[in-house]
Amino acid sequence: MEPEELEELREKLIVRRDELIGAGDVEFEPVKKDPSSKVDEDEAPLTEMNQVIASRRNKNRKLELERINVALQRIANNPDEFGECAACGEMIPIKRLELMPWARYCVACQEERSGPRGRRRRHLADFID
Ligand SMILES: [Zn+2]
């Protein structure tokens, strides 16, 4: 990979990492257990749902941050190998790396690894009853 390309990807990773860190964790209100305050029965399930959504979002962000840190580590330790598919050793197309600088596999190997479930594409119809 050209040094300029690598530098560009490194900057992308750093910008994204700073974004994730800067955004902080999504705070959510703890469910009030105070018996003296009358709990709005309509509100309770919604609060619970918000917590589930918030914690899932935190989890995704944590995962992304980990991937970014691993990618930055790889650039620091092995700049010459960065961008090579970890399975077949071919260069991952730069277009793919520009979208996902933390990608470790080329498209073919990634699909092989994620199996039939991962390969299945979601269609808009999946979200409509
Ligand atoms: Zn590959």
Side-chain angles (χ1 to χ4, degrees), residues 85-90 92 104-110:
C85 173
C88 69
E90 294 288 319
I92 299 170
R104 302 207 59 176
Y105 303 97
C106 67
V107 176
C109 293
Q110 181 72 63

Side-chain angles (χ1 to χ4, degrees), residues 40-74:
D40 188 333
E41 280 172 22
D42 290 334
E43 205 181 306
L46 188 70
T47 309
E48 242 166 70
M49 196 176 78
N50 284 342
Q51 284 193 6
V52 170
I53 290 169
S55 73
R56 194 173 298 162
R57 204 178 295 153
N58 284 350
K59 223 166 148 188
N60 287 342
R61 276 227 297 264
K62 211 170 148 245
L63 204 73
E64 191 180 351
L65 200 57
E66 275 168 16
R67 282 192 189 129
I68 288 170
N69 282 332
V70 168
L72 285 169
Q73 200 68 52
R74 283 192 291 131

Side-chain angles (χ1 to χ4, degrees), residues 12-129:
K12 266 187 210 288
L13 286 163
I14 290 170
V15 166
R16 185 66 186 136
R17 186 190 61 180
D18 289 349
E19 254 175 40
L20 286 166
I21 291 170
D25 283 338
V26 179
E27 295 292 333
F28 46 79
E29 301 255 321
V31 180
K32 287 198 181 95
K33 288 268 155 77
D34 185 359
S36 66
S37 70
K38 193 183 162 294
V39 178
D40 188 333
E41 280 172 22
D42 290 334
E43 205 181 306
L46 188 70
T47 309
E48 242 166 70
M49 196 176 78
N50 284 342
Q51 284 193 6
V52 170
I53 290 169
S55 73
R56 194 173 298 162
R57 204 178 295 153
N58 284 350
K59 223 166 148 188
N60 287 342
R61 276 227 297 264
K62 211 170 148 245
L63 204 73
E64 191 180 351
L65 200 57
E66 275 168 16
R67 282 192 189 129
I68 288 170
N69 282 332
V70 168
L72 285 169
Q73 200 68 52
R74 283 192 291 131
I75 291 176
N77 295 341
N78 272 318
D80 293 345
E81 284 171 24
F82 191 82
E84 284 176 12
C85 173
C88 69
E90 294 288 319
M91 275 310 283
I92 299 170
I94 189 70
K95 287 279 164 226
R96 174 167 167 81
L97 288 170
E98 277 170 359
L99 290 171
M100 301 193 292
W102 53 83
R104 302 207 59 176
Y105 303 97
C106 67
V107 176
C109 293
Q110 181 72 63
E111 283 185 354
E112 213 165 285
R113 292 174 65 85
S114 28
R117 267 191 76 212
R119 210 172 303 172
R120 185 175 163 268
R121 292 197 177 227
R122 278 191 163 267
H123 294 285
L124 191 60
D126 287 349
F127 301 101
I128 301 168
D129 283 325

